[in-house]
Amino acid sequence: MKRISTPRRAASLSAQLVDSLRSHIEAGGWPVGTRIPSEQALIEELGVGRSTLREALGALVHLGLLEARVGDGTYVRSSSELQSVLVRRANSTQRENVLELRTVLEEYASGAAALRRDDEQLHQLRELLADADAAAAGEDTSLLGSVDALFHRAVVRASKNDLLVEVYDYLGTALTSSSGGLTWDAAVADEHADLHRQLVDAIEDRDEHGAREAAAAIVRLTGAHEARAPRSEGGQ
């Protein structure tokens, strides 16, 4: 069987630049959401031609790491190709499918957290519960959504499964962002908060079954509320 010959040509300058810029983004040199330097500034800093730079930036836009906004510059959209792909896929499917995936990930992670968490992680969860109570007392629903996302990420990290943490971090925005745009009535908000307290209590008690049940109940409540609650004007 004939073997594929190994390419002898060195990588093009634009390909090398893509790798360099991608590494810079992944390392946090350009944080997600920020605008990258102007084209002229990059040309002067990197010592490359305009066509080479545009080719590299175009490749990063195609990969989902950058987003070009007409008249406003180019922004960092994601720090990882995998994150970009997963979030784009999650955003293109039915919300029910996203909620099912969230149930699978969070139910397992919560059970694992009950078995593996350390005292520092438990303390962090208690602090985030207090932050959520404070946010719920205010009128900014986006703040509550942000705290809620931090809480669930902390639960997943307490599972001490590095791969699960990585996948959840990549999908976190698509999995949890919707709650920030919802208008929560008092009864549902109280039930939501109570389930979170039950989850932390179960994790503290090393109750794997109780933690899994509470995590699944949180996602069910969120899904049911999403289906019937109107969005606020700032919601997604």
Side-chain angles (χ1 to χ4, degrees):
M1 183 176 181
K2 187 176 180 180
R3 299 184 61 181
I4 300 174
S5 60
T6 303
R8 297 181 181 275
R9 180 174 59 85
S12 68
L13 182 58
S14 62
Q16 295 177 52
L17 185 55
V18 168
D19 288 339
S20 177
L21 294 177
R22 178 167 49 194
S23 297
H24 187 67
I25 293 171
E26 289 176 349
W30 292 337
V32 174
T34 61
R35 183 170 58 184
I36 70 173
S38 68
E39 190 175 271
Q40 186 59 41
L42 288 173
I43 289 172
E44 294 175 1
E45 178 182 351
L46 300 170
V48 298
R50 192 174 302 274
S51 61
T52 298
L53 177 64
R54 287 181 174 177
E55 185 177 349
L57 294 179
L60 293 173
V61 168
H62 179 71
L63 290 172
L65 299 183
L66 296 179
E67 178 185 3
R69 302 178 186 175
V70 178
D72 191 28
T74 301
Y75 287 76
V76 181
R77 182 178 183 183
S78 173
S79 61
S80 161
E81 293 171 55
L82 178 58
Q83 180 184 34
S84 176
V85 171
L86 290 175
V87 171
R88 186 164 59 245
R89 181 66 184 91
N91 288 336
S92 67
T93 191
Q94 294 181 351
R95 186 61 187 167
E96 291 79 6
N97 294 339
V98 175
L99 289 170
E100 286 183 7
L101 177 58
R102 181 180 172 186
T103 301
V104 170
L105 294 177
E106 293 192 13
E107 185 177 346
Y108 176 83
S110 297
L115 300 177
R116 301 170 185 166
R117 58 86 182 162
D118 55 41
D119 290 342
E120 182 178 350
Q121 289 168 328
L122 179 62
H123 178 69
Q124 182 186 22
L125 290 174
R126 290 291 182 194
E127 286 189 330
L128 287 169
L129 278 183
D131 290 344
D133 288 340
E139 297 181 356
D140 187 352
T141 58
S142 64
L143 178 60
L144 179 57
S146 297
V147 175
D148 189 66
L150 289 173
F151 173 86
H152 288 286
R153 284 185 172 92
V155 171
V156 175
R157 289 191 175 93
S159 73
K160 298 187 177 179
N161 181 319
D162 292 341
L163 182 58
L164 178 59
V165 170
E166 184 176 3
V167 171
Y168 190 86
D169 278 347
Y170 285 155
L171 277 169
T173 300
L175 293 176
T176 62
S177 62
S178 60
S179 61
L182 294 176
T183 301
W184 296 80
D185 59 54
V188 176
D190 287 346
E191 184 179 1
H192 187 260
D194 185 59
L195 286 172
H196 282 68
R197 284 189 288 270
Q198 290 179 36
L199 174 55
V200 177
D201 288 344
I203 290 174
E204 180 175 15
D205 294 339
R206 308 283 187 185
D207 179 3
E208 178 185 9
H209 180 71
R212 292 177 69 119
E213 280 196 335
I218 289 170
V219 181
R220 286 196 300 271
L221 177 66
T222 301
H225 187 54
E226 282 183 11
R228 65 176 182 267
R231 295 280 180 178
S232 64
E233 291 184 2
Q236 298 179 1

